[in-house]
Amino acid sequence: MIRLRALLIAIPAILACVPGAVRAQYPFGKNKVLYAPKEWKVLETDHVAIYFYPDERAVAEFVAGIADDTYREFSRFFRVEFDRRIPVVLYGTHHDFGETNVTPYLVSESTAGFTEFVKGRIALPFSGSYPKLRHVFRHEMVHALMIEKLRVVMSSRRRWGYDGPPLWFVEGLAEYLARPEPDAEARLFMRDAATNGLVYPLEELWRIEGSYLMYKVGESVVGYIATRFGDEALTVLLENWWRYDRFPVLVERTLGIPMRTLSDQWLAYLRRRYYPAALDRRGMEEIGALLSPAKSLYEMHPVCAGGADGSGRVFCVGWARGAMNVMELERDGGGRARGRALVRGGSSVRFESIPAMRSRLYARGDTLLFVSKAGAEDAVYVYDVEARRVLRTIRVPGCRVLSSPSLSPDGGSIVLSAIDGGGKSDLFVCSLEDGAVTRITDDYYDDSSPDWHPALPLVVWSSNRCRGDDDSYALYVCDPAGGGIEPLTSGGFRDVDPRWLGDGTGVLFSSDRAGTPDAYLLRDGALTRQTNALGGVYSPSPCGDGAFLCTAYEAGGFRSYRVPLRDEASAAPAGGAACDEAEWTPGAPDTASSAVERDYRMKLGLDFIGATFALDPDYGSAGNGAQLFFTDILGDHQFIGLLGTATDDFDEVLDKLNVAVTYVNLTRRLNWAVGAFRLAGYTGSSLDLIRYERRTGVTAALVYPINTFARAGIDVSGTR
């Protein structure tokens, strides 16, 4: 029979389509939406199987080119070999990555990749930068090899259940091995933590677990252990894992010193290394005026709207109520700074997700430009801050990820950075009049943060086009209507986030050329350092004739400041970029060309076995048994099986057998499932008639995610 329960489920599913239900559903969770199915391929090297779709072939070939060398490097370090290829699932953009079924959980924008523990799968998105992709791939490969090392060590000692290392050690080891030397960002975070009392003893690192600081602290601790005791000590720690159940005991027996002593010595090392920086660097409140609320932790990309004297309104991207929002920074009646949400992210289809780091705001007069994910892709919103309404929505066909829009001098076009479907991060110009899109750059360099000159047909932006396989960035300019690309700065540093001054005579930008990100002014070929902050300074933006706004990382948070503009005659020359003459393209031809490509074929593997208790929804308990979960590599095909019996007598095993199987298909936007079951057991209570019943039946379900916040679904079942 068909149960009435199917109709009762269908009614609320239909109600979920109306706007009121969309808002009501938000606090209870979000949906994963596969907006378009993918034609998966597999690229196999000697040690890695790369799962990709044709649009991202360049990304897949790049990973194939570095995969085997990376595997051999870490295999030697861990002294372990895989007996199978490591599966690596690639996604062309972070939005595609958010649709993954490799994990059943929602993937946040801050997740750069992950390695799951069941099948040892690595999942990675392409963020526009091939050097960053290399680093994240190496980081996740460390996880895969470390997990395999622990499995081999423990299984060789017949220990099947065990706890893993603390998270700071896991992530710290991955960061330490993925990058030969700590970069400027790692030093920045550690210097800030050390000088602001944010570094805890090793036994108390749980206080920062899950934060980005934990990664950098872990990298520092692991690097300190390697410096003191050699890289060999890190491998021996894992090889001794079977001996001890507590990490502090393992450290003491392996390194020969108590963990408390190791912690004290590491903290003393941090003081020796980073305290001297306080002598020639200053806190941000000595440099400029704080605009963020005193207890806030995140306000990024501040811009000034109107007011040539710097008295205009200040907008930024800020964190509030569990999501990123477009905020206005203002003062209350008592003169205290406060943040007011102008556009709330994360609670509607229109403003599904406002990017935290990758995209800046742009302001001119009462017009504000910002980016938000809206459905399958990003959109640029032209927003009237006085009327608090969207004037226009702009999308770029073929590009799911957009960043940092900037308005042309005549207000008729915008320039922005976008990631297309083919592994390229380039610049585009969009006409506000007819929606026409013109591509300015078309290569494999990471072109980001463009800004239009206030009066001339010139665009300045940041790019690693000096050397595409290097993580250094320089500033470049060009006429978007055509013409050559000219470098403005040298390519040996990270020169990012450029903004023209209001009169167009110079460019503000952030650079780590002094070892830490600071604000600089480039004018007439000369550089003037604007800040010497103890933390780091990002995203400088002019505000009036004599000041600029910026974000500074200090005391564990990103906050916005207004800083006086300096223009000293003794500034150092900027220099031009000495770059490679040949255009860079991704991939290592020798390795990538030897890889074997094939079509993806579903192959199921066992994910989980567990004891379960079978329960009929209408008639109560029906027995127990084992539950088995099988999925394919992509997680798109899922089989769940149940096997058990409700008897204590071997003679009745088959008669009282409990068996059920369900298949779930997640390959398209419309998810569906079918199943069959045979459940037997006793039901009732001592106050009622206890009876034995056997029930067989089938079930089916359809679920259609309308968007991130609403879905329609129905399930039916028939029993006998």
Side-chain angles (χ1 to χ4, degrees):
M1 65 178 179
I2 303 299
R3 296 180 181 170
L4 181 61
R5 186 163 58 96
L7 178 61
L8 297 178
I9 291 176
I11 292 173
I14 294 171
L15 292 177
C17 300
V18 304
V22 172
R23 290 192 296 270
Q25 189 180 350
Y26 168 64
F28 300 99
K30 298 181 181 180
N31 304 313
K32 236 179 227 189
V33 186
L34 179 61
Y35 287 98
K38 296 175 174 59
E39 182 186 347
W40 288 94
K41 305 285 185 180
V42 185
L43 193 62
E44 293 181 341
T45 70
D46 291 342
H47 301 287
V48 170
I50 301 166
Y51 297 81
F52 71 103
Y53 39 95
D55 287 347
E56 54 166 356
R57 182 174 300 278
V59 179
E61 290 179 351
F62 174 79
V63 173
I66 63 175
D68 286 346
D69 286 344
T70 302
Y71 172 86
R72 285 188 286 267
E73 175 188 348
F74 295 152
S75 176
R76 287 192 298 269
F77 178 88
F78 287 106
R79 296 197 284 261
V80 69
E81 292 283 349
F82 270 79
D83 57 4
R84 63 195 183 281
R85 291 185 176 91
I86 300 173
V88 178
V89 186
L90 289 179
Y91 297 89
T93 68
H94 203 284
H95 294 340
D96 294 282
F97 181 51
E99 300 172 3
T100 182
N101 289 317
V102 172
T103 175
Y105 306 108
L106 293 174
V107 179
S108 71
E109 186 191 352
S110 61
T111 303
F114 65 83
T115 302
E116 58 88 34
F117 289 80
V118 177
K119 285 186 169 69
R121 293 167 290 187
I122 295 173
L124 299 173
F126 177 63
S127 65
S129 166
Y130 285 93
K132 181 178 179 180
L133 177 63
R134 178 196 294 114
H135 170 72
V136 177
F137 173 72
R138 287 174 58 84
H139 179 106
E140 300 302 333
M141 282 288 283
V142 174
H143 287 330
L145 270 293
M146 190 205 74
I147 293 170
E148 181 68 7
K149 177 68 174 181
L150 288 177
R151 186 194 69 81
V152 170
V153 167
M154 301 305 283
S155 61
S156 68
R157 300 291 175 170
R158 298 185 177 276
R159 294 191 59 180
W160 315 114
Y162 55 91
D163 293 329
L167 190 57
W168 64 262
F169 181 85
V170 172
E171 300 298 348
L173 180 63
E175 283 292 278
Y176 171 73
L177 293 179
R179 183 183 287 114
E181 291 291 334
D183 61 359
E185 186 177 74
R187 294 191 295 270
L188 179 160
F189 273 81
M190 289 309 302
R191 180 173 60 248
D192 178 78
T195 55
N196 284 284
L198 299 177
V199 179
Y200 299 96
L202 298 185
E203 309 93 288
E204 298 181 32
L205 290 184
W206 55 267
R207 296 176 181 272
I208 58 172
E209 187 163 307
S211 68
Y212 185 71
L213 178 60
M214 181 205 67
Y215 284 68
K216 301 295 104 178
V217 168
E219 180 183 7
S220 175
V221 177
V222 171
Y224 178 75
I225 293 173
T227 301
R228 284 275 315 270
F229 305 97
D231 285 349
E232 174 82 5
L234 301 174
T235 306
V236 175
L237 279 170
L238 299 177
E239 291 176 342
N240 286 343
W241 204 260
W242 65 277
R243 295 177 179 270
Y244 312 104
D245 292 327
R246 296 177 59 239
F247 188 70
V249 177
L250 169 69
V251 169
E252 181 174 356
R253 299 295 172 83
T254 302
L255 303 183
I257 61 173
M259 189 163 171
R260 167 63 72 175
T261 303
L262 175 67
S263 177
D264 292 342
Q265 293 175 353
W266 168 66
L267 291 172
Y269 157 76
L270 292 181
R271 291 191 291 269
R272 291 194 305 271
R273 177 167 185 178
Y274 293 116
Y275 276 16
L279 298 176
D280 57 1
R281 290 182 174 272
R282 295 188 292 166
M284 277 304 299
E285 293 199 23
E286 300 177 67
I287 298 173
L290 178 66
L291 301 177
S292 299
K295 294 184 178 181
S296 67
L297 291 177
Y298 194 94
E299 282 86 28
M300 196 78 178
H301 309 305
V303 293
C304 187
D309 59 353
S311 61
R313 300 167 68 180
V314 175
F315 302 96
C316 69
V317 175
W319 176 262
R321 295 178 63 178
M324 287 295 167
N325 312 286
V326 177
M327 310 281 291
E328 181 174 4
L329 299 178
E330 55 189 7
R331 300 278 175 178
D332 62 16
R336 293 182 297 271
R338 68 178 184 181
R340 179 173 63 93
L342 192 70
V343 178
R344 293 199 178 276
S347 59
S348 68
V349 178
R350 199 176 200 184
F351 308 121
E352 183 178 317
S353 174
I354 296 173
M357 297 289 290
R358 64 174 166 83
S359 182
R360 303 183 303 182
L361 304 181
Y362 178 90
R364 182 189 297 177
D366 295 332
T367 301
L368 185 70
L369 272 60
F370 65 92
V371 167
S372 176
K373 185 175 186 290
E377 58 201 12
D378 282 345
V380 175
Y381 291 98
V382 182
Y383 191 83
D384 186 328
V385 297
E386 288 294 337
R388 298 193 67 168
R389 66 186 182 91
V390 174
L391 301 177
R392 187 163 300 181
T393 303
I394 301 163
R395 300 177 188 268
V396 178
C399 297
R400 294 193 68 182
V401 177
L402 312 180
S403 301
S404 302
S406 177
L407 196 61
S408 64
D410 62 3
S413 302
I414 63 169
V415 62
L416 53 81
S417 172
I419 300 177
D420 67 8
K424 295 180 179 180
S425 174
D426 289 318
L427 303 185
F428 296 79
V429 171
C430 304
S431 170
L432 297 181
E433 181 178 353
D434 57 11
V437 176
T438 303
R439 192 167 191 151
I440 301 178
T441 60
D442 189 1
D443 47 48
Y444 290 99
Y445 302 114
D446 182 18
D447 296 327
S448 62
S449 303
D451 192 48
W452 218 310
H453 192 281
L456 301 175
L458 283 178
V459 170
V460 63
W461 76 97
S462 175
S463 177
N464 66 340
R465 62 181 47 250
C466 188
R467 295 179 181 86
D469 61 346
D470 189 44
D471 203 28
S472 60
Y473 284 69
L475 305 186
Y476 297 84
V477 292
C478 78
D479 182 344
I485 296 174
E486 298 293 334
L488 291 183
T489 63
S490 63
F493 310 103
R494 283 188 61 85
D495 297 342
V496 296
D497 298 336
R499 290 277 198 187
W500 293 102
L501 293 180
D503 59 6
T505 60
V507 177
L508 281 166
F509 65 99
S510 174
S511 176
D512 64 357
R513 57 187 58 230
T516 294
D518 271 304
Y520 288 80
L521 172 63
L522 172 62
R523 196 196 312 250
D524 297 328
L527 286 178
T528 304
R529 185 176 174 183
Q530 300 293 313
T531 61
N532 60 335
L534 195 57
V537 176
Y538 304 91
S539 198
S541 178
C543 186
D545 296 331
F548 66 92
L549 308 180
C550 65
T551 296
Y553 180 80
E554 189 172 80
F558 290 92
R559 300 175 181 87
S560 294
Y561 292 83
R562 178 182 279 108
V563 179
L565 192 66
R566 300 169 56 199
D567 196 359
E568 299 174 354
S570 59
C579 304
D580 296 336
E581 294 184 3
E583 182 177 316
W584 181 84
T585 56
D590 293 341
T591 307
S593 61
S594 63
V596 177
E597 182 179 330
R598 60 177 175 83
D599 292 336
Y600 173 73
R601 294 184 180 88
M602 181 185 70
K603 183 179 180 181
L604 296 176
L606 181 62
D607 285 12
F608 178 75
I609 303 176
T612 188
F613 183 76
L615 187 70
D616 185 286
D618 289 336
Y619 293 92
S621 61
N624 52 42
Q627 195 167 26
L628 298 89
F629 291 82
F630 296 86
T631 66
D632 67 331
I633 284 292
L634 300 175
D636 292 340
H637 302 273
Q638 303 177 1
F639 286 84
I640 304 99
L642 165 71
L643 183 63
T645 183
T647 182
D648 296 328
D649 190 342
F650 282 105
D651 293 337
E652 297 181 314
V653 168
L654 295 180
D655 184 56
K656 296 184 178 180
L657 186 68
N658 288 314
V659 61
V661 62
T662 301
Y663 168 68
V664 181
N665 186 295
L666 304 176
T667 57
R668 285 172 170 75
R669 187 169 184 171
L670 178 64
N671 306 153
W672 58 273
V674 293
F677 57 88
R678 179 187 187 276
L679 301 176
Y682 294 93
T683 187
S685 69
S686 59
L687 301 178
D688 194 4
L689 177 65
I690 298 178
R691 61 191 182 278
Y692 170 79
E693 291 195 4
R694 183 190 303 122
R695 306 185 60 78
T696 59
V698 294
T699 184
L702 293 174
V703 177
Y704 185 83
I706 301 166
N707 51 54
T708 303
F709 305 99
R711 62 180 175 266
I714 182 172
D715 72 89
V716 295
S717 60
T719 60
R720 181 176 63 85

